[in-house]
Amino acid sequence: MEVNKSLESRLKRKAAELGFAACGIASADAAPRAAERLRAWLAAGAHGDMLWMEARAHHRESPAGLWPDARSVIALGMSYAPRDDPMRLADEPTRGRISVYAQGQDYHDVVKKALKALARWLVAEGGGDLKVFVDTAPVMEKPLAEAAGLGWQGKHTNLVSRSEGSWLFLGAIYTTLALEPDAAGQDTCGSCDACQRACPTDAFPAPYRLDARRCISYLTIEHAGPIPEEFRAAIGNHIYGCDDCLAACPWNKFAAAARANMAFAPRAELTAPYLDELLGLDDAGFRQVFAGSPIKRIGRDRMVRNCLIAAGNSGDATLIAAVAPLLDDANDVVQDAARWAMARLTPPS
C-alpha cells in the first residue's frame, strides 16, 4: 500500500490506469432531487415507449432504492471524443449518419470490463461490498455523476465536462464503504442555448428538459413502430441516434480525441455508410455488419426503416432501385417506410 495516499486518491489513479477519463465520489444520498424530476418526467409521458423506465422507477430514484446498503457512489466517465466533426455528413444525403458512440466497440462491454477491474482492486484495497453498473441497470448515472463532480447536466440533459465536453460514457460503482465525497459539479451553461437550437425535431420543451418522443435518438433506436410522419423530414440522414445537440456544445473544444479509449475508434464501415448498401441487408447481413456494435440490438427491421426515412429525405432518385424491393418486405413497418420513401423519390407525373 502506498504511504500517505488516501484510498480515494489511489482509487482515482487506478481508474485512470484502466482508461477512465473522469472519476468522482458522491454519497449515496447526494442527488435528492433526481427522484422528483424523474417522477415528473414519467408523469408527463416524455419517456414514450420506454416503459422499462416506468416499471423500475422506484429502483432508479436513488441508490438506496436499488440497494439499501449502498453508502457511496463512485461515478466514472470514459471518453469517446471523436476525431472527426460529427456533423460532417449533414450535407451528404446518400450516406447514413450513425451516432459517434456507436461507431466503435459496444461501450457496454468496454466500460463494464474496466468497472469490474476497478471493483476488484477496490475490494482488495478497501474491502466492503459493491455493485457495478453501466447503462442497463436502473441507475441515474447523470445526476450521480454531477453529484460526484464529473460535470453537470447541461441544457441538453446530458452530462457536460469541462475537460471532456459532452463525450463521456458513464458507469457507476455502488459500495458499502463510506468514502470521502468530492464537490458536486457546477452548472456553467450560462445563457448558451446552442444545444437547444441544434435539435432538428425541437425535442427540448425547455432547457434541461427532454421530450424523448421527439428525440431522433429515441425515434431511431428505442421506438419500434412507424416513425411519426411529423418527424420524418427533420430526421434527415440520421439512421442511428443523433449527435446534433452534443456536437453543438462549446465545451467540446476542450475535449481531446487523444484521450478517448481506443476501443471506441470508429470502424471504417460505420463512419459514412451508403444508404443503398444498408437497404439491401437481410437479417444475416445485418448481424454480420453490426457484430460487436451497440447497433445490433435494434435489429435489421428497425435499421432498414431508418434508412428508408433517410432515403426519402435524400432527394436522390437513384435510391429508388434500393427502396422498391422493400415495398413487399415481410415487416409492416418497413413496408410503410418504403411507401413513404418511394412517394418522396418518385417525380410527380
Side-chain angles (χ1 to χ4, degrees):
M1 183 175 294
E2 298 175 53
V3 179
N4 298 325
K5 291 285 187 178
S6 68
L7 177 61
E8 291 84 356
S9 64
R10 289 185 287 117
L11 170 71
K12 292 174 183 178
R13 194 169 82 176
K14 185 64 177 180
E17 291 174 2
L18 291 169
F20 290 104
C23 176
I25 299 167
S27 64
D29 59 356
R33 293 186 58 201
E36 177 186 343
R37 292 195 296 265
L38 174 64
R39 287 192 291 267
W41 189 70
L42 293 171
H47 58 305
D49 295 338
M50 296 184 289
L51 301 181
W52 42 269
M53 296 199 73
E54 185 176 349
R56 299 196 66 183
H58 59 295
H59 289 149
R60 192 177 299 274
E61 289 178 352
S62 71
L66 181 61
W67 190 32
D69 292 339
R71 298 184 68 185
S72 302
V73 174
I74 304 163
L76 297 125
M78 193 171 283
S79 173
Y80 67 102
R83 294 185 182 277
D84 298 320
D85 179 4
M87 304 294 289
R88 70 192 186 285
L89 297 180
D91 296 322
E92 296 193 39
T94 61
R95 293 178 180 263
R97 295 170 66 186
I98 293 174
S99 186
V100 170
Y101 86 85
Q103 293 179 21
Q105 289 186 38
D106 191 331
Y107 70 95
H108 297 91
D109 300 333
V110 177
V111 176
K112 179 159 280 191
K113 181 179 179 180
L115 283 174
K116 287 182 175 179
L118 185 61
R120 289 192 294 270
W121 179 92
L122 181 60
V123 169
E125 294 289 317
D129 294 325
L130 52 75
K131 298 181 186 292
V132 302
F133 306 101
V134 52
D135 195 30
T136 54
V139 172
M140 298 278 275
E141 291 98 340
K142 290 179 282 189
L144 291 171
E146 178 177 296
L150 269 60
W152 68 96
Q153 276 191 267
K155 292 179 181 178
H156 53 25
T157 75
N158 289 285
L159 194 79
V160 182
S161 161
R162 283 180 173 268
S163 59
E164 311 303 329
S166 293
W167 312 112
L168 283 176
F169 289 127
L170 299 178
I173 298 176
Y174 289 3
T175 175
T176 57
L177 297 175
L179 300 174
E180 182 68 25
D182 292 296
Q186 298 298 311
D187 187 338
T188 55
C189 285
S191 61
C192 178
D193 64 351
C195 61
Q196 315 285 284
R197 290 184 283 108
C199 181
T201 52
D202 295 323
F204 300 104
Y208 308 102
R209 288 176 54 199
L210 170 69
D211 187 340
R213 296 166 295 185
R214 302 182 65 92
C215 175
I216 292 175
S217 287
Y218 166 80
L219 292 168
T220 58
I221 299 173
E222 303 295 344
H223 181 62
I227 292 176
E229 292 207 20
E230 65 179 299
F231 303 125
R232 293 184 183 185
I235 283 175
N237 61 340
H238 291 285
I239 61 170
Y240 186 91
C242 178
D243 293 318
D244 290 17
C245 67
L246 301 181
C249 180
W251 285 100
N252 290 333
K253 65 185 176 183
F254 299 108
R259 289 196 296 268
N261 190 304
M262 287 304 297
F264 307 130
R267 291 163 46 182
E269 66 272 25
L270 301 184
T271 56
Y274 284 103
L275 294 175
D276 58 350
E277 295 178 1
L278 296 179
L279 288 170
L281 293 177
D282 57 13
D283 285 332
F286 172 84
R287 289 194 296 271
Q288 182 178 4
V289 171
F290 297 108
S293 163
I295 298 172
K296 65 184 181 295
R297 78 179 183 90
I298 71 169
R300 174 264 179 188
D301 294 341
R302 213 174 297 183
M303 172 55 76
V304 171
R305 174 205 64 184
N306 297 342
C307 291
L308 284 165
I309 299 303
N313 289 327
S314 71
D316 190 331
T318 65
L319 288 173
I320 288 176
V323 172
L326 297 167
L327 293 168
D328 298 317
D329 194 81
N331 183 274
D332 292 342
V333 174
V334 171
Q335 285 188 29
D336 169 76
R339 287 191 294 270
W340 183 85
M342 187 65 77
R344 299 262 294 188
L345 294 173
T346 304
S349 54

